[in-house]
């Protein structure tokens, strides 16, 4: 992690007296950035477009920002506590429910199922980004292309 962040272990241990303090700081900063991404998109009245924008903003952060990726991993592994995963899930559910109400969600897709699909895509993005980071290259998968393939199964009509 120090190598990815381009800092020395000495610098880290000078500022953080314990692993728990470091994990807490990483989680707070990284999930704070994710929360900001969740509020960055404008309300358009087109819930699947808003969902696409949200998914692609978060996926880009997971792929390109070490702090964000580390924060999510620490929370997933139980080394930090954050309400961000629940907030993200709630945003996705709200947008899926709006899409269902407007007839934009495929009739055979429940909003809860759409949430599960989005969460699985995001887990894959995070895992792929973690694998790509040590090699110093971009993640292999083209998230936007994958997302539009997934969206084709969620949307009532092509967007």
């Amino acid at each position: 992690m120090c190598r990815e962040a381009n800092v020395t272990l000495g610098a880290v241990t000078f500022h953080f007296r314990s692993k728990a303090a470091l994990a807490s700081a990483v989680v707070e900063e990284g999930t704070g950035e994710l929360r900001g991404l969740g509020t960055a998109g404008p309300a358009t009245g087109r819930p699947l477009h808003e969902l696409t924008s949200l998914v692609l903003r978060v996926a880009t952060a997971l792929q390109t920002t070490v702090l964000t990726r580390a924060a999510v991993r620490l929370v997933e592994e139980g080394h930090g506590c954050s309400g961000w995963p629940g907030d993200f899930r709630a945003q996705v559910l709200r947008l899926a429910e709006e899409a269902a109400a407007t007839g934009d969600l495929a009739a055979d897709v429940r909003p809860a199922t759409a949430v599960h699909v989005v969460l699985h895509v995001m887990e894959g993005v995070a895992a792929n980004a973690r694998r790509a980071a040590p090699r110093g290259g971009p993640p292999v998968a083209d998230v936007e292309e994958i997302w539009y393939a997934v969206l084709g199964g969620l949307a009532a009509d092509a967007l």
Side-chain angles (χ1 to χ4, degrees):
M1 192 162 111
C2 287
R3 184 178 22 211
E4 275 188 80
N6 201 27
V7 296
T8 65
L9 184 57
V12 171
T13 57
F14 176 79
H15 291 289
F16 301 99
R17 298 296 178 206
S18 70
K19 288 180 183 178
L22 173 60
S24 178
V26 168
V27 167
E28 185 176 324
E29 287 293 317
T31 59
E33 288 182 19
L34 288 168
R35 278 195 176 89
L37 294 174
T39 60
T44 64
R46 300 171 70 193
L48 289 183
H49 286 277
E50 291 175 37
L51 179 60
T52 293
S53 180
L54 173 65
V55 165
L56 294 178
R57 284 192 311 270
V58 172
T60 298
L62 289 171
Q63 289 183 311
T64 62
T65 309
V66 173
L67 181 64
T68 302
R69 195 166 46 250
V72 168
R73 186 170 187 176
L74 286 167
V75 170
E76 286 174 354
E77 294 177 355
H79 301 294
C81 186
S82 171
W84 180 80
D87 295 345
F88 179 71
R89 186 185 188 292
Q91 280 183 291
V92 172
L93 179 59
R94 177 184 58 79
L95 291 169
E97 288 173 340
E98 287 177 16
T102 61
D104 291 336
L105 194 65
D108 61 342
V109 177
R110 295 178 303 117
T113 301
V115 171
H116 289 297
V117 168
V118 170
L119 294 179
H120 284 293
V121 167
M122 299 313 286
E123 285 177 22
V125 168
N128 193 34
R130 281 194 299 269
R131 283 191 300 274
R135 295 188 306 268
V140 176
D142 180 343
V143 176
E144 191 169 349
E145 183 179 338
I146 292 168
W147 174 249
Y148 282 108
V150 168
L151 188 60
L154 298 176
D157 294 318
L159 297 178

